[in-house]
Amino acid sequence: MSDRKDRIGEHLIKLGLISSDNLEKGLKRQSQVGGKLGSNLIEMGFIAIDDLLGYLSKKFGVPALNLFDIEISREILALIKPEKLRRLKILPIAADDNALTLAMINPLDLDAISDIQFTMGKKIKPVAVPSFMMDIAIQTVVANPGTPLIGASLAEMVTLGQGDQLPSLTQLLQYMVKIGGNDLLLMAGTPPSLKISNKLRRLSIPALTAADCERYIRELLPFYDWEKFSKKNDFGIGVGFPGLGRFRVTIYRQRDALAAAIRPIFDKIPALSELNLPSWLSEYALKPHGLILVSGPAGHGKSTTLSAMVDIINKEKGCNIISLEDPIEYLHKHKKSNISQREIGRDVASFSEGMRHVLRQAPDVIVVGEMRDRETFEIALRASNSGHLVISTVHSDNATSIIDRVINMFEPHEQHLIRMMLAESFLLSIAQRLIPKKNGDGRILAMEKLTNSSRVRKMIRDGKTHQIRSQLQVGGDDFVSIDISLATLYKKGLIDYEDGRLYSVDDQFYRDMAKGAA
């Protein structure tokens, strides 16, 4: 095999593409870190990809292809089973009724061509591909079945790790930011993974060990935070990296090993229009008092919506804003308002502890990163009834179930009073989902709203909150369901029909609303 590598190197020397010194250094690096000779020569700057492609085209007498410049749909990739791709070192590129374009490391491999031609019943058009590109492409396809292959992402992966080497934490974060990843997941037994538009994609690099995870996580935590985590086994923190920005880091234990979820936090607080939030939301954010609740699954933008509303208040009103966050994500500057941002675990022990003393801090607006317990809810209700605006997120399935969740946190003998307080203080409940865009370029927000109209207020007082959804599903000024929002996005051609169904609450209602455009 080494003779063959030397022969390839000699050919490149004869063509004037590299020098003997370049070849010697390339072979030395290959013996140290592994990988393919072509990949090492490109990494070391000794040869350009276009020059390598030109060499391959001349050698095999067929076109050569740069996999980093193309995209392959999941439908094309599904034409050949992953195990056959890996065994034959091939990749389907394009197909029509008569022919299949097949990327190959060795386009003269007649056995492989005959195999695919017999299976597919199509003429095979072979193209040459550098072996290092093919390796990373096949690894990516096998690790992420059912997803398209994006060439630009492959190019970035080449820089992340070679052979048995793992990329640095900074490299992983840079890659996530560059391709627009929503979360970086570090877990023993699997390669570092990214969530992109709600889908998990594993990087084509070695699986992490427990020691690898601990090394990455120790790099994220200062010593005093490591001590806190060691006692709790769950820990959240905001971390800044120069030149990259801030990240929300959640660290936990699983199977006696460390794991982490890392999410980028953008410095600029997005405007409502950038988030696909309606302009009327600013009217509620500027109300003098009352309760605004934002719900939705983790990772679907609740904290960003909260920050957008806080930024509106900060720019438009002169008031005192106190926020309790776990951890602090967006850093707000003092504009017209004063803002105190308190981080759970650093500035205050817990949300409930922070809420106990918040009214002594002269707040006009109280922002609660998440209401998790009865005491926090009770203080929030009392504050919103006594002239303060309270904005918070809640884990709830939809905008209507929040009401029952709040009430059911209290003892039966307290629930009548809580209903009365909620009927008076409640302003707005919104539930949101981030849906993959139809063109694959990120996600778009679908939103459900419930406002405290006279009929909603009466249902809350009368203990008929379970009827809100069924009575108001058709929509109106006071209620717009997530199903209507999803159907509207589908009709505008912004999302796929099946993605809308996946996130709908009432499947049949969504289908009835969307079928006019189907």
Side-chain angles (χ1 to χ4, degrees):
M1 187 69 172
S2 117
D3 289 342
R4 180 174 173 271
K5 291 173 184 172
D6 290 343
R7 285 200 303 273
I8 292 171
E10 293 299 333
H11 281 302
L12 295 174
I13 291 172
K14 287 177 182 178
L15 291 170
L17 298 177
I18 61 172
S19 67
S20 297
D21 184 54
N22 293 157
L23 176 58
E24 184 179 341
K25 289 179 179 177
L27 291 170
K28 182 178 179 181
R29 175 179 171 84
Q30 190 176 31
S31 68
Q32 293 171 337
V33 302
K36 301 296 182 180
L37 178 61
S39 176
N40 286 318
L41 291 172
I42 288 170
E43 268 202 358
M44 298 170 80
F46 294 154
I47 186 173
I49 288 179
D50 287 344
D51 290 335
L52 181 59
L53 293 174
Y55 162 73
L56 292 174
S57 182
K58 287 180 181 178
K59 177 183 177 183
F60 293 114
V62 298
L65 183 67
N66 184 346
L67 288 178
F68 297 165
D69 288 341
I70 66 170
E71 294 185 13
I72 308 174
S73 71
R74 59 189 174 201
E75 291 79 15
I76 293 294
L77 293 170
L79 293 176
I80 303 176
K81 293 182 178 179
E83 56 266 25
K84 185 168 283 191
L85 299 181
R86 188 161 41 192
R87 178 168 55 84
L88 298 179
K89 297 286 186 181
I90 58 174
L91 200 66
I93 301 297
D96 57 29
D97 292 339
N98 302 312
L100 174 70
T101 302
L102 194 67
M104 306 180 70
I105 290 176
N106 179 11
L108 303 181
D109 185 348
L110 297 180
D111 289 338
I113 292 174
S114 297
D115 184 332
I116 300 303
Q117 190 164 295
F118 176 78
T119 304
M120 301 294 300
K122 295 177 184 287
K123 179 183 176 181
I124 303 302
K125 295 180 179 178
V127 295
V129 168
S131 58
F132 78 94
M133 286 187 183
M134 182 66 80
D135 286 345
I136 195 168
I138 291 175
Q139 288 174 27
T140 302
V141 171
V142 171
N144 302 282
T147 60
L149 190 69
I150 311 298
S153 296
L154 295 183
E156 292 292 334
M157 286 185 194
V158 171
T159 66
L160 289 180
Q162 293 293 325
D164 293 329
Q165 288 184 318
L166 284 173
S168 68
L169 179 63
T170 301
Q171 284 177 304
L172 289 172
L173 296 176
Q174 286 172 335
Y175 180 62
M176 172 171 62
V177 170
K178 187 164 186 175
I179 69 168
N182 310 119
D183 294 278
L184 170 64
L185 306 176
L186 304 175
M187 187 180 301
T190 188
S193 305
L194 290 172
K195 288 188 77 175
I196 305 170
S197 298
N198 297 352
K199 294 181 180 177
L200 183 74
R201 298 191 68 168
R202 295 187 179 97
L203 301 185
S204 299
I205 53 181
L208 300 178
T209 65
D212 294 328
C213 291
E214 181 167 339
R215 176 171 58 84
Y216 282 133
I217 289 167
R218 281 185 177 271
E219 192 175 339
L220 288 164
L221 291 183
F223 175 75
Y224 51 86
D225 283 328
W226 177 261
E227 290 295 303
K228 291 180 185 176
F229 167 67
S230 299
K231 295 174 182 176
K232 297 171 63 177
N233 287 335
D234 283 284
F235 195 71
I237 187 175
V239 178
F241 282 78
L244 278 177
R246 283 174 53 76
F247 299 85
R248 188 178 84 180
V249 180
T250 302
I251 301 164
Y252 58 98
R253 287 190 181 274
Q254 63 90 29
R255 295 186 182 181
D256 204 31
L258 305 187
I262 305 171
R263 178 173 300 169
I265 304 168
F266 300 102
D267 292 333
K268 178 179 175 293
I269 300 170
L272 296 181
S273 57
E274 295 176 68
L275 298 171
N276 198 39
L277 287 167
S279 58
W280 54 256
L281 192 59
S282 62
E283 299 173 17
Y284 284 88
L286 296 173
K287 296 278 187 184
H289 57 82
L291 179 65
I292 298 175
L293 300 173
V294 181
S295 66
H300 282 252
K302 299 188 299 295
S303 298
T304 303
T305 297
L306 240 64
S307 293
M309 285 193 283
V310 170
D311 193 51
I312 290 168
I313 299 168
N314 192 17
K315 289 188 291 190
E316 299 293 333
K317 292 179 70 174
C319 58
N320 188 30
I321 304 170
I322 308 289
S323 77
L324 301 169
E325 303 175 54
D326 184 21
I328 291 173
E329 296 191 18
Y330 291 93
L331 297 175
H332 292 272
K333 296 178 180 178
H334 304 296
K335 297 176 184 176
K336 279 192 176 181
S337 294
N338 287 351
I339 300 187
S340 298
Q341 291 183 265
R342 308 188 71 196
E343 184 164 286
I344 304 303
R346 286 192 169 181
D347 303 313
V348 63
S350 64
F351 282 113
S352 56
E353 180 69 22
M355 288 295 284
R356 281 186 209 121
H357 306 291
V358 70
L359 295 180
R360 301 176 189 171
Q361 295 155 13
D364 299 298
V365 178
I366 302 167
V367 182
V368 188
E370 184 182 342
M371 287 205 276
R372 301 172 179 169
D373 57 76
R374 170 184 158 174
E375 184 178 12
T376 302
F377 272 112
E378 184 173 8
I379 298 170
L381 280 172
R382 295 190 186 281
S384 61
N385 267 274
S386 59
H388 304 84
L389 180 67
V390 180
I391 308 173
S392 180
T393 73
V394 183
H395 279 296
S396 183
D397 291 337
N398 53 63
T400 57
S401 63
I402 288 179
I403 308 300
D404 278 327
R405 172 162 183 183
V406 172
I407 293 169
N408 290 334
M409 293 189 77
F410 294 86
E411 296 295 329
H413 69 276
E414 300 173 302
Q415 290 181 2
H416 177 73
L417 176 60
I418 296 301
R419 279 197 201 95
M420 297 301 106
M421 293 175 67
L422 193 57
E424 292 305 316
S425 63
F426 171 63
L427 288 175
L428 171 71
S429 169
I430 63 175
Q432 57 187 58
R433 302 287 191 277
L434 288 172
I435 316 300
K437 289 184 180 178
K438 190 171 185 176
N439 61 9
D441 182 23
R443 301 182 292 173
I444 189 167
L445 185 138
M447 192 192 81
E448 176 170 284
K449 80 162 182 177
L450 174 69
T451 60
N452 198 11
S453 64
S454 57
R455 60 176 179 167
V456 171
R457 189 178 299 114
K458 185 175 188 307
M459 287 184 198
I460 294 173
R461 284 176 177 155
D462 294 346
K464 297 179 179 178
T465 51
H466 60 283
Q467 297 179 5
I468 291 176
R469 189 164 206 91
S470 59
Q471 291 194 19
L472 308 186
Q473 174 74 313
V474 292
D477 291 338
D478 50 6
F479 181 67
V480 176
S481 74
I482 192 77
D483 305 312
I484 293 174
S485 180
L486 290 166
T488 301
L489 292 176
Y490 169 66
K491 289 177 181 179
K492 290 180 178 179
L494 297 173
I495 65 172
D496 284 326
Y497 176 77
E498 289 301 327
D499 282 334
R501 284 191 66 188
L502 181 65
Y503 289 95
S504 66
V505 173
D506 185 331
D507 180 71
Q508 186 59 53
F509 184 76
Y510 165 75
R511 290 162 66 183
D512 291 343
M513 292 295 298
K515 69 180 180 182

